[in-house]
Amino acid sequence: MSPASGTPLPLTWLYAPGDRPAVVQKALVSGADVVIVDLEDAVAPDRKAYALAATVDLLADPHPVPVHVRIHTPRDIPPLAPLPGLSGFRVPKVTHATDIHRIAQAVPGIPLFPLLENALALEHAYAIASADPAVRGIALGEADLRADLGVRDECGLDWPRSRLVVAARAAALPPPAQSVHPDIRDLDSLAASCARGRALGFLGRAAIHPRQLPVIEQAYLPSPDEVAAAEEVVKAAEAEEGALALPDGRFIDAAVVDGARRVLALAARA
């Protein structure tokens, strides 16, 4: 639980194709923190209209799990925006802040999550992240970004990933979630990639299959040693205000204390 808001910290975001209502229903009970109904890449062109209609039916009622929709085109927004089951829009292929301005003005108050998928978007990362109060988070669309940059392996994405983390922090947004890991069978590779993402400052990850969810959650939960260290920091901060040194010589200040509280909030999930 978040100490500030009392709401669970999302670590898992599960995509489900909008033209397969049975799969969406399974996603809703999968244990994912957020379900993303996909109207874009996961849906064939001749199935787009059906996917939109099925998603309108789905969101006619609220669900216990937050449901986001990754739109295919801004024309998807008007029939979905007023529905009680909608928790936010994932907006693909955003390259400029003006892309967000137009949507935020059309549907005020609905949380927006821009996806940055090419080099130009990455150059505008902070402008996009801070474009409007409706923006609640940003993420990379790594498949398209890899193609745009000609990147061949994970290391080539370290700088774009770090750029996104910095832009989110600068815009006072939550740490971004990692993009999907496309191999649903290689869970060891997923775990290793999550560990790398966590080291870069990400929090949680999008998934394309329920079997990936526990791997992602475990990778992002703090270890017992991390929890013990965080408890020591918070206890010391509660006993004495301002900067101070722990018995082992470690110096802590307000930023360190905030980080320790985030660790304990994540640990509470377990």
Side-chain angles (χ1 to χ4, degrees), residues 61-124:
D61 298 302
H63 297 275
V65 179
V67 179
H68 294 183
V69 175
R70 180 164 73 166
I71 62 172
H72 169 58
T73 169
R75 292 190 298 273
D76 295 334
I77 292 175
L80 295 168
L83 299 177
L86 178 73
S87 296
F89 284 120
R90 319 291 285 196
V91 186
K93 297 178 174 59
V94 174
T95 56
H96 296 84
T98 52
D99 299 335
I100 295 302
H101 292 156
R102 286 192 291 267
I103 294 175
Q105 290 170 4
V107 286
I110 295 181
L112 302 177
F113 297 82
L115 300 176
L116 285 61
E117 305 186 49
N118 59 34
L120 182 58
L122 205 61
E123 285 299 298
H124 295 157

Side-chain angles (χ1 to χ4, degrees), residues 152-166:
R152 296 185 178 182
D153 57 34
E154 287 276 306
C155 294
L157 289 175
D158 279 359
W159 185 85
R161 289 169 174 167
S162 294
R163 177 68 180 270
L164 193 80
V165 170
V166 171

Side-chain angles (χ1 to χ4, degrees), residues 219-242:
Y220 274 96
L221 287 175
S223 69
D225 287 346
E226 290 172 320
V227 173
E231 288 174 341
E232 183 181 13
V233 168
V234 171
K235 183 177 180 180
E238 291 173 346
E240 184 177 346
E241 294 184 358

